[in-house]
Amino acid sequence: MPRVLPFKQVDVFTSTPFKGNPVAVTNCMDIDESEVTTEQLLAIASWTNLSETTFLFKPTEPGCDYKLRIFTPASELPFAGHPTVGSCKAFIEFTGCTKKQIVQQCGVGNIDLNVDSDGKISFKAGPTAVESVDPALLKKYEATLDVQCIEEPKLLKVGPNWLVMLVDNSETVLNIKPKLAEMAALDAANGHTGIIVGGLKKGCTTNDEYEIRALAPNEGVPEDPVCGSGTLSFIRYLNELNKYKEPKYLHISQGSVIGRDGHLYCKVDVQSGDKVDYYVGGYATSILNGTITL
Amino acid sequence: MPRVLPFKQVDVFTSTPFKGNPVAVTNCMDIDESEVTTEQLLAIASWTNLSETTFLFKPTEPGCDYKLRIFTPASELPFAGHPTVGSCKAFIEFTGCTKKQIVQQCGVGNIDLNVDSDGKISFKAGPTAVESVDPALLKKYEATLDVQCIEEPKLLKVGPNWLVMLVDNSETVLNIKPKLAEMAALDAANGHTGIIVGGLKKGCTTNDEYEIRALAPNEGVPEDPVCGSGTLSFIRYLNELNKYKEPKYLHISQGSVIGRDGHLYCKVDVQSGDKVDYYVGGYATSILNGTITL
């Protein structure tokens, strides 16, 4: 007999339906994880054709609200940003959970999530590494965008390895016509996921609104509509440059060049003793609601 | 207020769930077509990220059962094969229609569909053109596949323009490691959609079972899992070679190289007076069932 499970496809990091980044979420919390195989989950993820497809299971660790397994069409991921926000939204709707702090068990460990009173969902990022890059290589990367960076770019290792570049303002960011083939070759040769290029919103006087673009042609994603790990890399880089002295809220816009309207609301949570936590979040809306027949 | 409409995502040309070609189908038959804009439909198609997303409307022409609008993530199409079969399946389930002959109104005109007693759905193809190709160019195409054709390849204009190549058997077809970059360059330079390469199933003595692959790297689809227009091109080409004297049933398999298990059941309907109709069909299963919130 075919198995029928609750299913949602959630639009993440937008308030405008169909303008965010979709994730397909199957609710497996009423079955045992052993009842489905990894091959089966991967076949579903390949079929939905979305950048990520997730499955909610009963948690196996104390203190967790659910266990999440995340798949691209090609493989399983230990963690990913927009699928985490979208899957948490689906979990809340599937279960009626009203908690403001939710813990997600997944491949990288346990992820803390905050649910704001207005529905925004944020996750606390894990530790990340910041590395310098050979200046000759940076010149080649700048040439693929035909821009000049206003600060030294850095390589951010947040799971994916993003080369983060800052330019003068959002208009420059939006006008970039990337040379994707050259970029893909550089990424392939250097083990980079792709480029995050960002700039301060034109006219913003509070230094807290930025426009970014995530380009990853070597991953088969010429431009990611709204990218959680790229946004994390970008705010982490901003703190590297600005050394914020107190908690800083940042609003990152993304996707308008490819017809999306993504918005990420982030917090660089500067605490005493040099401790800094990074939160990335936004709104999410369930667009498809129903069942999936396995 | 957001509008909530019935929605299905259907797996087409397979009997094994998640092994066919998906199409997303929204049932708009209870609203007026003027209540949604083309921009809105295109935004939905971009968001589902499937090769095709369709919308069922009330027909505007007499004798038709429904009107279908078909979108890729980038544009509207006048017709496409697997979306037609999948959307007809969804129409039957949405409406409870029990007719064995269904007429679909769409951009190319009215399409006749047959529903078999076992549930298979076939469409009658429109007229197609068969053209010869410069031998020097064919040599270049053969080199991208590293194979030798056993008959002269032809260009089939069925909407898309497929270069159809026949090799000795299915094993050769499955072993091809296409040089995609070279192929994309040839397709771009010559206005071709891509290559259909096929061969008789190894061991088949009845000359009615073939394995094919659809390669369209220049369209952003290195390999299409299960391709209706490619299959139509292939059976049309087979009739060009074999000049069948009576109706011929053909079973075309596709997709196994990329983890799918597609099966198309076709009929070259040879009639008196040199009239030939081509039917392409197969099974379809609704995997996602529910609603879409616009």
Side-chain angles (χ1 to χ4, degrees):
Chain A
M1 269 295 288
R3 190 192 296 281
V4 179
L5 295 173
F7 175 91
K8 288 177 185 283
Q9 198 157 303
V10 183
D11 204 16
V12 183
F13 292 143
T14 191
S15 308
T16 314
F18 306 105
K19 293 290 184 185
N21 209 352
V23 58
V25 189
T26 298
N27 182 359
C28 304
M29 295 187 74
D30 290 329
I31 66 169
D32 194 86
E33 196 174 334
S34 65
E35 294 178 61
V36 288
T37 64
T38 297
E39 291 64 39
Q40 217 173 355
L41 304 184
L42 196 52
I44 296 171
S46 169
W47 186 82
T48 69
N49 205 40
L50 298 179
S51 60
E52 278 103 1
T53 295
T54 68
F55 302 87
L56 296 163
F57 290 99
K58 285 188 285 271
T60 57
E61 293 206 4
C64 293
D65 295 284
Y66 60 87
K67 175 180 176 181
L68 192 69
R69 293 183 66 184
I70 305 171
F71 291 80
T72 73
S75 63
E76 184 162 8
L77 298 179
F79 178 73
H82 100 267
T84 290
V85 171
S87 302
C88 182
K89 174 74 174 187
F91 166 77
I92 290 168
E93 291 186 353
F94 281 133
T95 62
C97 175
T98 56
K99 289 163 70 172
K100 293 301 166 201
Q101 297 194 305
I102 289 173
V103 182
Q104 167 180 300
Q105 177 186 354
C106 60
V108 292
N110 298 345
I111 302 290
D112 291 322
L113 288 142
N114 293 330
V115 184
D116 286 3
S117 53
D118 68 353
K120 268 204 311 287
I121 297 171
S122 307
F123 63 88
K124 185 166 111 177
T128 59
V130 184
E131 296 181 4
S132 289
V133 177
D134 171 40
L137 180 57
L138 290 178
K139 280 255 169 288
K140 290 183 194 168
Y141 269 110
E142 281 186 333
T144 68
L145 300 181
D146 198 16
V147 291
Q148 280 212 312
C149 295
I150 60 173
E151 298 281 354
E152 183 194 339
K154 297 277 185 185
L155 186 66
L156 273 284
K157 297 190 164 178
V158 299
N161 297 331
W162 290 108
L163 181 66
V164 180
M165 305 169 84
L166 186 70
V167 297
D168 55 352
N169 63 47
S170 55
E171 220 167 79
T172 303
V173 172
L174 295 174
N175 284 330
I176 287 169
K177 302 209 176 0
K179 299 187 178 78
L180 294 170
E182 287 89 329
M183 191 185 296
L186 289 176
D187 287 339
N190 293 283
H192 298 167
T193 304
I195 288 181
I196 302 297
V197 55
L200 191 65
K201 273 260 166 149
K202 201 142 191 198
C204 172
T205 55
T206 44
N207 290 325
D208 57 0
E209 293 188 46
Y210 289 84
E211 180 84 34
I212 72 167
R213 292 171 66 184
L215 309 166
N218 190 48
E219 301 285 326
V221 185
E223 181 150 4
D224 191 339
V226 200
C227 177
S229 70
T231 300
L232 169 62
S233 300
F234 189 72
I235 65 166
R236 178 81 179 78
Y237 176 73
L238 285 182
N239 190 43
E240 200 72 13
L241 296 178
N242 297 313
K243 305 282 183 208
Y244 300 119
K245 296 288 171 246
E246 50 188 39
K248 179 79 174 174
Y249 291 88
L250 295 162
H251 172 192
I252 311 291
S253 303
Q254 205 188 333
S256 70
V257 174
I258 50 171
R260 302 297 174 92
D261 186 30
H263 296 276
L264 296 97
Y265 300 89
C266 307
K267 183 181 182 185
V268 180
D269 194 12
V270 180
Q271 297 155 56
S272 59
D274 279 350
K275 183 168 153 46
V276 185
D277 285 325
Y278 297 87
Y279 289 86
V280 174
Y283 298 98
T285 312
S286 294
I287 299 278
L288 304 183
N289 291 282
T291 60
I292 184 169
T293 304
L294 268 56
Chain B
M1 269 293 290
R3 191 192 296 280
V4 179
L5 295 173
F7 175 90
K8 287 176 186 282
Q9 198 157 304
V10 183
D11 204 16
V12 183
F13 292 142
T14 191
S15 309
T16 315
F18 306 106
K19 294 291 185 183
N21 209 352
V23 58
V25 189
T26 298
N27 181 359
C28 304
M29 294 187 74
D30 290 330
I31 66 169
D32 194 86
E33 196 175 333
S34 65
E35 294 178 62
V36 289
T37 64
T38 297
E39 291 63 39
Q40 217 173 355
L41 304 185
L42 196 53
I44 296 170
S46 167
W47 187 82
T48 68
N49 205 41
L50 298 179
S51 60
E52 278 102 1
T53 296
T54 68
F55 302 88
L56 296 164
F57 290 99
K58 284 189 285 272
T60 57
E61 293 205 5
C64 292
D65 293 286
Y66 60 86
K67 175 180 175 181
L68 192 69
R69 294 184 66 184
I70 306 171
F71 291 79
T72 73
S75 64
E76 185 164 7
L77 298 180
F79 179 72
H82 101 268
T84 290
V85 170
S87 301
C88 182
K89 174 72 174 186
F91 167 77
I92 290 169
E93 292 185 354
F94 281 134
T95 63
C97 175
T98 57
K99 291 163 71 173
K100 294 301 166 198
Q101 297 194 304
I102 288 174
V103 182
Q104 166 179 301
Q105 176 187 355
C106 61
V108 292
N110 299 346
I111 302 290
D112 290 322
L113 288 143
N114 293 329
V115 184
D116 285 2
S117 53
D118 68 352
K120 270 206 309 287
I121 297 171
S122 307
F123 64 87
K124 185 166 110 179
T128 59
V130 184
E131 297 182 4
S132 289
V133 177
D134 171 40
L137 180 57
L138 291 178
K139 280 254 168 290
K140 291 184 193 167
Y141 269 109
E142 282 186 333
T144 67
L145 299 181
D146 199 15
V147 290
Q148 280 212 311
C149 294
I150 59 171
E151 298 281 355
E152 183 194 340
K154 297 278 185 185
L155 186 65
L156 274 283
K157 297 191 162 175
V158 299
N161 296 331
W162 290 108
L163 182 67
V164 180
M165 305 170 83
L166 185 71
V167 297
D168 55 351
N169 63 48
S170 56
E171 221 168 81
T172 303
V173 172
L174 295 173
N175 284 329
I176 288 170
K177 303 211 175 0
K179 300 186 177 78
L180 294 170
E182 287 88 331
M183 192 185 297
L186 289 177
D187 287 339
N190 294 282
H192 297 168
T193 304
I195 288 180
I196 302 297
V197 55
L200 190 66
K201 273 260 166 149
K202 202 144 190 197
C204 172
T205 55
T206 44
N207 290 323
D208 57 0
E209 293 188 44
Y210 289 84
E211 180 84 33
I212 73 168
R213 292 171 66 185
L215 309 166
N218 190 48
E219 301 284 327
V221 185
E223 182 151 1
D224 191 340
V226 200
C227 179
S229 70
T231 300
L232 168 62
S233 301
F234 189 72
I235 64 164
R236 178 81 179 76
Y237 176 72
L238 285 183
N239 191 41
E240 200 72 11
L241 297 177
N242 296 313
K243 305 283 183 208
Y244 300 119
K245 295 289 172 242
E246 51 188 38
K248 180 79 174 174
Y249 291 88
L250 295 162
H251 172 192
I252 311 292
S253 302
Q254 204 187 334
S256 69
V257 174
I258 50 172
R260 302 298 174 92
D261 186 29
H263 296 276
L264 296 97
Y265 300 90
C266 307
K267 183 182 182 185
V268 180
D269 194 11
V270 179
Q271 296 155 57
S272 59
D274 278 352
K275 183 167 153 49
V276 184
D277 285 325
Y278 296 87
Y279 288 87
V280 173
Y283 297 97
T285 312
S286 294
I287 299 278
L288 304 183
N289 292 281
T291 60
I292 183 168
T293 303
L294 269 53

